[in-house]
Amino acid sequence: MKRLLVLLLFVLSVTEAFCNDSLTVVYRIRLDQDIDRSSQRLVTLGLEKAEKASADYVLLDLDTYGGAVDAADSIRSAILVYEKPVVAFINMQAASAGALISIACDSIYMKTGSSIGAATVVDQNGKVMPDKYQSFMRGMMRSTAQATGRDPKIAESMTDTAGVLTLTPSEAVEVGFCEGIAESYEEVAKILASDGDYIVKDLKDDMSWLDKLIQFLLHPLLQSIFMMMIVGGIFVEIRTPGIGLPLITAVVGALLYFAPAYIGHLAEYWEILLFVAGLILIALEIFVIPGFGVAGISGIVIVIVSLALAMVDNVEFFRWDGTLNLQPIVRPVCIVVLSASAAVFGSIWLVRKLFATRSFDHIALRQELKASDGFTGVVNGLEVIVGECVTVFTDMRPSGKVIASDGRVYEAALKFGGYASKGEKLKVVSSEQGRLYCDKL
């Protein structure tokens, strides 16, 4: 009886293994958005999960008008090095960066009415970029087509600024850029399974709540808002005394900006450290070093660069041949500068609006002591010191204290701003409301 049971279990296990071997597993990644950091992580995550699921094919269900070149290049590279076949199903549009991604796939199937091509590099306003950028894109299109056995000249024609090429499904099949025409991803999966048994696993069903949250926070609009929170919070904190809500806003913005990118393997730890170093330099310039010079300017530049580098794939920025490719960082730097400018102007507007309403009373004290309410001004009585020389008692930035020849210490400020160190000699030029105003000798 035991032998019969063991034999039965052996037969069942062999049968199950045989059935699993005959079942084709297709892993679907739906990409129907602009090509950016969010879509880059989506495809990378899909490839990782497809590998864990032991999928026979990865099906990239594509419908996009393009986007950032650096993100597209990262997706292209990930597809080219993936060990299992990656199949593109162009579900209507594969324009610009979408064309580059499609050509990187081992096979392409197109839906009736869809198109592929129009890969000319343009800016945010649709203006054609200079030939330097077009040359970079043409090179990627040629090398990608060569890697997947397609005609590099046709791929290059898709970036031609004079007569850009866009192919319909029948035209793509005719020139060998498309393996066939299909009306749905299920039809493509059936073709890949050679009419045998197959199963389609979908990335959206395989994503955890953390994966979905990271994808949400990586949306370009939210990333711009986080940058505005960082810059605006720092700006308002500098302009107001003490430590409060603006600094908390900046810290929250920095966490929301860097944390999803770091967890999603899009930002490196050294980029976060670079950002912190920039903030330290700015703080030193404000609270320790007089005036505003090298440390402050360097801190601002480092903060902008760190925010921009966090948006760029380091593999594409630092080439293996040792050269520095600045093309991918141009767009992120522009985004950071525009977001920072908007944050500064928005902060100025917001502060003025808050000061104009009573709601700001809970944050800052601004009660006026009016003469009509019985308050009187400080009796000056300091005119006798005007014209005399005094010694700086505490460092002045530009306010501080000075000591007169009679040994008395007075509140003072530099008339024209600046910095005066302790022990320096100054001349009193005027006195107003109990305070002396001095100038350097």
Side-chain angles (χ1 to χ4, degrees):
M1 187 65 182
K2 290 183 178 180
R3 292 181 179 179
L4 181 61
L5 182 60
V6 172
L7 180 61
L8 180 60
L9 291 174
F10 175 76
V11 172
L12 288 174
S13 62
V14 171
T15 304
E16 183 180 0
F18 177 78
C19 292
N20 289 337
D21 288 341
S22 63
L23 183 67
T24 301
V25 180
V26 179
Y27 201 93
R28 176 177 177 250
I29 304 173
R30 175 63 171 163
L31 183 58
D32 57 350
Q33 62 187 60
D34 289 341
I35 306 302
D36 50 33
R37 283 208 307 173
S38 175
S39 55
Q40 175 187 342
R41 182 184 179 275
L42 185 70
V43 175
T44 305
L45 180 65
L47 294 176
E48 291 176 356
K49 290 187 176 294
E51 186 175 1
K52 291 179 181 179
S54 301
D56 300 294
Y57 296 92
V58 174
L59 179 59
L60 188 60
D61 192 342
L62 194 64
D63 184 11
T64 179
Y65 288 98
V69 176
D70 61 303
D73 196 5
S74 299
I75 296 173
R76 173 194 79 110
S77 301
I79 292 173
L80 288 175
V81 299
Y82 191 71
E83 295 182 355
K84 296 292 183 66
V86 180
V87 180
F89 171 54
I90 300 177
N91 193 353
M92 295 316 292
Q93 303 298 335
S96 191
L100 175 64
I101 294 170
S102 300
I103 296 173
C105 296
D106 299 280
S107 303
I108 300 176
Y109 291 87
M110 299 179 67
K111 186 176 182 178
T112 302
S114 63
S115 61
I116 178 174
T120 305
V121 183
V122 297
D123 59 16
Q124 287 89 340
N125 299 319
K127 183 180 178 182
V128 177
M129 297 290 284
D131 190 62
K132 177 181 179 180
Y133 301 98
Q134 308 302 335
S135 176
F136 177 75
M137 189 66 174
R138 285 195 293 267
M140 282 199 299
M141 293 291 282
R142 286 197 309 270
S143 63
T144 306
Q146 290 171 350
T148 54
R150 297 183 174 92
D151 189 342
K153 292 183 179 179
I154 295 177
E156 184 178 2
S157 299
M158 293 181 179
T159 63
D160 191 352
T161 54
V164 61
L165 178 64
T166 302
L167 298 174
T168 65
S170 57
E171 292 171 342
V173 171
E174 184 179 350
V175 298
F177 258 64
C178 175
E179 274 65 34
I181 300 173
E183 301 307 319
S184 65
Y185 71 86
E186 291 94 344
E187 186 176 340
V188 177
K190 186 176 181 180
I191 295 172
L192 296 175
S194 302
D195 295 329
D197 294 331
Y198 67 92
I199 182 174
V200 178
K201 294 185 178 181
D202 205 310
L203 172 62
K204 69 178 183 179
D205 300 327
D206 206 13
M207 293 176 66
S208 65
W209 67 268
L210 181 60
D211 293 329
K212 294 177 181 178
L213 178 61
I214 293 174
Q215 284 299 124
F216 175 74
L217 294 177
L218 285 175
H219 191 280
L221 178 60
L222 290 177
Q223 291 286 289
S224 298
I225 293 174
F226 299 152
M227 278 191 284
M228 294 174 66
M229 290 172 61
I230 296 171
V231 177
I234 294 173
F235 177 79
V236 175
E237 188 64 40
I238 292 173
R239 303 288 295 178
T240 56
I243 296 176
L245 183 61
L247 181 61
I248 295 174
T249 302
V251 171
V252 171
L255 289 174
L256 293 174
Y257 182 82
F258 283 105
Y262 183 75
I263 296 174
H265 307 292
L266 297 176
E268 301 293 337
Y269 70 91
W270 63 267
E271 293 168 341
I272 300 176
L273 294 178
L274 192 66
F275 173 77
V276 174
L279 294 183
I280 292 174
L281 286 175
I282 294 174
L284 288 175
E285 188 67 61
I286 295 171
F287 300 110
V288 180
I289 305 174
F292 195 82
V294 176
I297 296 173
S298 300
I300 293 173
V301 172
I302 289 174
V303 166
I304 292 176
V305 171
S306 64
L307 291 173
L309 285 177
M311 301 176 68
V312 180
D313 185 0
N314 296 322
V315 174
E316 301 306 323
F317 183 57
F318 299 105
R319 294 291 186 182
W320 290 110
D321 58 4
T323 60
L324 194 62
N325 179 28
L326 295 178
Q327 193 276 336
I329 203 175
V330 173
R331 182 172 178 269
V333 167
C334 292
I335 293 175
V336 173
V337 172
L338 290 175
S339 298
S341 301
V344 171
F345 287 113
S347 300
I348 295 173
W349 176 85
L350 182 61
V351 169
R352 288 182 177 178
K353 284 293 182 181
L354 288 173
F355 270 108
T357 63
R358 304 300 302 174
S359 60
F360 199 69
D361 289 344
H362 300 288
I363 302 176
L365 178 64
R366 58 176 183 181
Q367 183 177 356
E368 297 181 33
L369 305 180
K370 300 179 181 179
S372 59
D373 297 329
F375 294 98
T376 58
V378 178
V379 178
N380 204 337
L382 300 177
E383 291 84 356
V384 293
I385 307 178
V386 175
E388 291 187 6
C389 289
V390 293
T391 304
V392 178
F393 187 70
T394 62
D395 291 342
M396 301 176 67
R397 302 188 180 93
S399 300
K401 294 182 180 180
V402 296
I403 183 169
S405 57
D406 59 1
R408 297 182 63 182
V409 178
Y410 298 91
E411 293 286 341
L414 293 171
K415 183 74 173 179
F416 304 103
Y419 171 80
S421 58
K422 183 177 180 179
E424 189 174 344
K425 297 293 183 180
L426 302 176
K427 181 179 180 181
V428 180
V429 295
S430 65
S431 65
E432 299 176 14
Q433 299 181 349
R435 170 173 287 195
L436 300 176
Y437 288 86
C438 310
D439 193 12
K440 294 188 177 184
L441 296 174

